[in-house]
Amino acid sequence: MRIDILTLFPQMFQGVFDTGIFQRAVADKLVSVNLYNIRDYTHDKHRTVDDYPYGGGAGMVLKPEPIFEAVESIRPGPHPESGGPPVILMTPQGRLFSQKLAAEFARQERLILICGHYEGVDERIRQHLVTDEISIGDYVLSGGELAAMVVIDAVVRLLPGVLGSEASALDDSHVSGLLEYPQYTRPEVYRGWLVPQVLLSGNHAQIARWRREQAIIRTRERRPDLLAKANLSPGVNPLPESPLEPTTSAEEIEESNNH
Ligand code: 9D3
């Protein structure tokens, strides 16, 4: 996958792409990331990217010319309507980003992301250039850059070969629709707080059942909205074959954690 990012602050992305799974994905040629400074597509000596809003009002508006010229110079191919890559505008007014959308973007050969850093962008950019408008949530950021990094992170880890194993991506809570079960590592007793006995039992069926139970309890407590639409079908999240054995309850874990 090729990802092109248009931004006024390309430096903001450095640490992200130079680290961890990105660095490896880029080295393995599974993804390439190109940063374009919108200011490089201006023609005036002040390199003007924004201007006052027609009709008055506070804030500045991102001018159309540099954005159109940047996209058209990096996208020699057709407009998306005729099969070109998606042109995604990061904006608080966009469609809410989700795992489902990440999977959809991960199927593309190419993505072009535009990051605004202003109160707004000229509407003609939305109407005649952009194919998707995306928000990452209902909170105010100072620009689209961090939001773009969130989107890219979620997409790139879904690309085949990027994670160590396919299983890691499939195991993710947002695929089953449940939150993850509690996890423990050594030591078996820490400050008097015990690891649930079932996890030390070596009984894999019972462990699987306990984890599933905990995931459901946790989801019901924290994200009832997720539980309503969770995929509880056997293949995704195996159902126990026999009635549940008594296991450590969430309350008992809480109890133990409070000691
Ligand atoms: C007064 C209206 N404001 C919208 C809530 C104006 C405004 C604030 C912040 C316009 C742009 C921005 C910068 N934010 C983004 O560009 C952005 C964003 C966000 O703020 N939250 C969640 N997702 C995104 S994607 C891009």
Side-chain angles (χ1 to χ4, degrees):
M1 170 182 275
R2 170 174 166 177
I3 303 174
D4 298 318
I5 304 160
L6 276 65
T7 171
L8 288 163
F9 300 95
Q11 341 67 270
M12 277 185 75
F13 292 81
Q14 283 319 322
V16 172
F17 299 131
D18 295 352
T19 316
I21 75 150
F22 273 108
Q23 201 174 32
R24 202 182 62 217
V26 171
D28 294 349
K29 304 225 185 291
L30 300 170
V31 65
S32 70
V33 182
N34 305 298
L35 288 160
Y36 300 92
N37 191 332
I38 295 166
R39 215 173 279 284
D40 291 342
Y41 296 84
T42 58
H43 301 294
D44 64 312
K45 82 162 191 248
H46 295 110
R47 313 231 291 160
T48 312
V49 293
D50 61 344
D51 208 337
Y52 300 98
Y54 275 120
M60 300 294 274
V61 175
L62 206 51
K63 291 166 66 62
E65 306 94 313
I67 304 286
F68 272 88
E69 288 181 37
V71 170
E72 283 162 1
S73 82
I74 63 177
R75 181 192 70 192
H79 190 272
E81 256 84 286
S82 17
V87 178
I88 302 161
L89 177 67
M90 302 310 302
T91 165
Q93 298 164 56
R95 183 152 61 119
L96 189 60
F97 188 59
S98 63
Q99 189 63 30
K100 189 174 168 214
L101 206 44
E104 214 171 283
F105 288 153
R107 288 196 293 270
Q108 304 291 325
E109 229 165 88
R110 229 183 128 170
L111 297 175
I112 299 175
L113 283 91
I114 304 171
C115 308
H117 214 97
Y118 286 85
E119 291 299 304
V121 306
D122 187 286
E123 190 64 18
R124 291 164 291 191
I125 295 169
R126 300 197 144 83
Q127 288 178 328
H128 304 294
L129 191 64
V130 162
T131 62
D132 298 271
E133 297 183 41
I134 302 297
S135 160
I136 61 161
D138 293 338
Y139 32 82
V140 183
L141 304 172
S142 17
E145 284 79 10
L146 285 167
M149 290 182 230
V150 166
V151 168
I152 293 165
D153 186 279
V155 169
V156 167
R157 62 190 294 289
L158 292 178
L159 299 178
V162 167
L163 290 188
S165 69
E166 296 283 317
S168 331
L170 268 178
D171 201 36
D172 280 2
S173 63
H174 285 98
V175 176
S176 72
L178 294 174
L179 299 183
E180 271 161 31
Y181 48 77
Q183 306 225 59
Y184 294 85
T185 186
R186 288 187 290 184
E188 195 178 314
V189 183
Y190 179 64
R191 299 188 176 182
W193 303 315
L194 308 179
V195 172
Q197 196 56 46
V198 61
L199 297 178
L200 313 172
S201 69
N203 183 335
H204 297 296
Q206 209 178 323
I207 289 170
R209 198 181 316 160
W210 180 85
R211 285 180 166 167
R212 176 174 163 76
E213 196 177 62
Q214 291 298 319
I216 292 170
I217 290 168
R218 182 165 277 195
T219 308
R220 188 175 55 210
E221 282 173 2
R222 302 184 183 187
R223 295 290 308 274
D225 59 311
L226 290 183
L227 196 56
K229 52 186 174 182
N231 188 352
L232 300 178
S233 61
V236 173
N237 227 313
L239 276 164
E241 283 146 30
S242 52
L244 292 174
E245 297 287 324
T247 56
T248 318
S249 69
E251 289 72 25
E252 283 173 274
I253 292 174
E254 278 303 308
E255 257 309 287
S256 155
N257 288 343
N258 292 334
H259 287 146

